[in-house]
Amino acid sequence: MLNKALDKHAPVVKKRVKRDRQPEWYNSEIIYARNMRDKYNALGLWSEYRFWRNKTKHIIDSSKKNYYKNMVKDSNDPKTLWKCLHSLNPKVKNTPYELATEDNNTTKSKKSIAETFNNFFTSCAEKLREQGSYTPVNKADFSNLEKKTGVCKIELDQRSPADRHAVLMWEQRNGCFLPEDFKNFYLTTDGFKLTWNVKMDNGPTPVGKLYINRVSQLTRIAGNVASSHVNPTLLDLEADSDSEDEATGLEKPSFDSRCKIYEMDPCDGYGRVCLVFRENKTGGNDPKTEVWFLDRSLRWHFLAESFMAYFRLMLMHLGLPQWQYGITDIGLSQQAQQWFNIYAPTRLELDRELLMGNGSEGQNKMPTLNLDVNKVFNKGKTDKKKLPAQTSQNQASFNKKKPIVSSAKTPATTTSTRNITASSSQISTKGTK
């Protein structure tokens, strides 16, 4: 009852208590400007209020500047100078640091704060590795390729990183987001191109090629195009094509609006490597991305689940001619198989085992020929060493007299010789006479 009566008749009122002593830079001009500012603020005259507010701040700043400038200038002893410096930088009581933890609590323990920072910085490398960050590819990374027999003239096209604005514009223009690993690749290098040749008698012959399109060359195949009897399109093939890949059992891409297909590598005309965006049937907002190979007969073949997996696959196959056919049911051509036998025989066997595991045995029935690499690239040095021995044997056999073989034609030959000798004797006797 007493507290209620006190609160009613003598309530607690908060008052602002001024300093008992104002700073020395505080003068009458500042007091007048502050009074005018508060006056117009109470009257609601906002234009005048803003004017006097800005003027008050300007007067305070100029007064402080002149005061401390004169104070430093007039300080003749260290005591006065340090007094001026301490007034500019007053001491503040050191309060213990607080850190917010994962469960929305705060801690002041120095040990827990140090462990939290330690765990954060040690996990940065793992997070960057999980995000699929790339480092620029250098020619030194292909030192093992230079050591292979006959390989020469390895050329790597050094490209600068793609502009982040260009990547964002591509995503906005096509209405889809690039996968994180593909986007990080473009932010490291705008596409990729590496070629290598083989020494032959007529000079270097191009064999290997590793290629990824630039961002500007990442164009869409097919799409929402209205088909007609006059102008047929790729959509007309949807009814005749199978819906699933025979090797993997995955649903093949479609040329209609269900999929967005973009060309990653034109493959010099023997096919196309494509990045496929398809609808996510699990209910997520992000579309599912895969890498497929479209051959010249417009059949789809699955290559990899992500761009990073495809890039590694391309490096392992050394960019050999038509290497994508090696992991399909079509198989490699005879010429491509010979290049694989020379430079990547292990990879060829692994591809065959993969096809056998998927139930495709078409390629395994194809005959293979084993080439002697020394005979191909040593320009016939081993043959030249054997030439003198062979020629000597041929000359020896040629100088031997052949034995006379009795046959039905031998009498005729003997009579012809007798006639010739007779005629020559007659000529000689006529000459004597």
Side-chain angles (χ1 to χ4, degrees), residues 28 45 55 61 65 75 118 130 208 308 369 382 389 425:
S28 59
L45 301 176
K55 188 172 180 62
D61 292 340
K65 180 180 178 182
S75 59
N118 186 27
E130 291 175 359
M308 195 172 185
L369 299 175
T382 55
S425 62

Side-chain angles (χ1 to χ4, degrees), residues 123-190:
S123 62
C124 287
E126 293 294 333
K127 290 180 180 178
L128 290 175
R129 191 179 295 111
E130 291 175 359
Q131 291 176 0
S133 58
Y134 289 88
T135 56
V137 181
N138 298 320
K139 191 176 179 180
D141 299 332
F142 298 91
S143 57
N144 293 329
L145 182 60
E146 294 179 349
K147 298 177 183 178
K148 292 184 179 294
T149 307
V151 175
C152 66
K153 203 175 179 180
I154 300 177
E155 297 180 355
L156 175 62
D157 188 7
Q158 296 290 346
R159 300 183 178 182
S160 58
D163 188 11
R164 185 179 293 272
H165 178 70
V167 177
L168 295 177
M169 289 299 295
W170 186 94
E171 293 177 341
Q172 184 178 2
R173 184 170 58 253
N174 293 276
C176 57
F177 294 98
L178 287 174
E180 287 297 325
D181 53 355
F182 203 9
K183 185 184 296 185
N184 293 331
F185 171 80
Y186 274 131
L187 295 178
T188 305
T189 173
D190 190 7

Side-chain angles (χ1 to χ4, degrees), residues 250-347:
L250 298 174
E251 183 180 358
K252 292 183 178 180
S254 57
F255 293 108
D256 55 11
S257 59
R258 290 176 295 175
C259 295
K260 292 183 178 180
I261 306 169
Y262 297 92
E263 180 184 285
M264 291 171 50
D265 184 5
C267 299
D268 294 333
Y270 63 81
R272 291 182 179 182
V273 176
C274 301
L275 180 68
V276 179
F277 291 81
R278 64 169 76 248
E279 296 178 355
N280 195 344
K281 296 183 178 181
T282 59
N285 295 326
D286 297 335
K288 185 179 180 181
T289 56
E290 297 169 342
V291 180
W292 289 73
F293 177 67
L294 181 65
D295 62 18
R296 296 189 64 179
S297 62
L298 300 181
R299 288 182 56 199
W300 289 106
H301 307 276
F302 178 76
L303 292 181
E305 295 180 351
S306 62
F307 167 76
M308 195 172 185
Y310 169 75
F311 192 76
R312 291 174 178 172
L313 199 64
M314 180 178 65
L315 293 177
M316 287 187 292
H317 286 84
L318 303 177
L320 288 167
Q322 305 176 9
W323 67 268
Q324 292 89 354
Y325 283 101
I327 50 180
T328 64
D329 56 349
I330 298 176
L332 296 168
S333 62
Q334 287 292 331
Q335 184 180 6
Q337 280 194 34
Q338 297 304 337
W339 290 121
F340 267 89
N341 288 330
I342 296 173
Y343 293 110
T346 306
R347 189 68 245 178

